[in-house]
Amino acid sequence: MTTTKLPPAPRPSRPAVKTRTAYQFLQIRVQLLGRGMTNEIMNLYVNGKRIKPKQIKTLHEFLNQLGMQGFRIVTAEMETEGVYTHFYTLQREVFTTEAPETDIYDTLDRTKDGADFGDSIRNLLEFSLFDNF
């Protein structure tokens, strides 16, 4: 008597999960020791939070670590008043199955055009036009 092996039962197919590309961003503000000649970090803020990396001492080490995590620099600026302060925006591509909670165009459609009266008054006071009198 011969036994015939049956093929395994087909697995139920799962519906294909639709993924989409999204982006994560980091806003970095860093102040270097002295004039930055050694690239050593004095103060480091990521997305508004001060962090103190234990193993990383220099800006290029920090940026290389973020690069290994998939981030790339999309903007870089420097302010030289007092302490040299560097500003970076970093971005990385991620894939997600989640739909966005809101869309910026929905917000823009509900927003009126231009500045309002409150913006004008706030700008007038912030720029201290009355200081000249």
Side-chain angles (χ1 to χ4, degrees), residues 62-91:
F62 183 66
L63 292 175
N64 283 332
Q65 182 189 48
L66 294 174
M68 289 189 295
Q69 295 174 29
F71 283 95
R72 66 185 183 109
I73 296 173
V74 292
T75 66
E77 297 178 41
M78 186 174 76
E79 181 180 285
T80 59
E81 292 182 26
V83 176
Y84 285 75
T85 305
H86 301 260
F87 299 90
Y88 298 93
T89 302
L90 283 81
Q91 157 192 330

Side-chain angles (χ1 to χ4, degrees), residues 44-126:
L44 176 64
Y45 298 85
V46 178
N47 290 350
K49 295 180 182 176
R50 186 170 184 187
I51 63 171
K52 296 179 181 181
K54 296 181 191 310
Q55 303 298 325
I56 296 175
K57 301 290 181 208
T58 64
L59 178 58
H60 59 273
E61 289 173 336
F62 183 66
L63 292 175
N64 283 332
Q65 182 189 48
L66 294 174
M68 289 189 295
Q69 295 174 29
F71 283 95
R72 66 185 183 109
I73 296 173
V74 292
T75 66
E77 297 178 41
M78 186 174 76
E79 181 180 285
T80 59
E81 292 182 26
V83 176
Y84 285 75
T85 305
H86 301 260
F87 299 90
Y88 298 93
T89 302
L90 283 81
Q91 157 192 330
R92 75 173 165 190
E93 188 176 82
V94 294
F95 298 100
T96 182
T97 57
E98 298 176 17
E101 293 176 18
T102 60
D103 189 288
I104 187 65
Y105 289 102
D106 295 336
T107 304
L108 291 173
D109 287 343
R110 292 188 307 270
T111 304
K112 60 184 174 186
D113 291 336
D116 62 16
F117 183 71
D119 290 336
S120 300
I121 296 298
R122 185 173 39 253
N123 290 339
L124 178 69
L125 296 174
E126 284 179 1

Side-chain angles (χ1 to χ4, degrees), residues 26-40:
L26 292 177
Q27 295 287 320
I28 295 175
R29 181 179 135 218
V30 63
Q31 294 172 325
L32 302 177
L33 287 174
R35 295 185 148 243
M37 301 303 271
T38 61
N39 222 13
E40 292 176 89

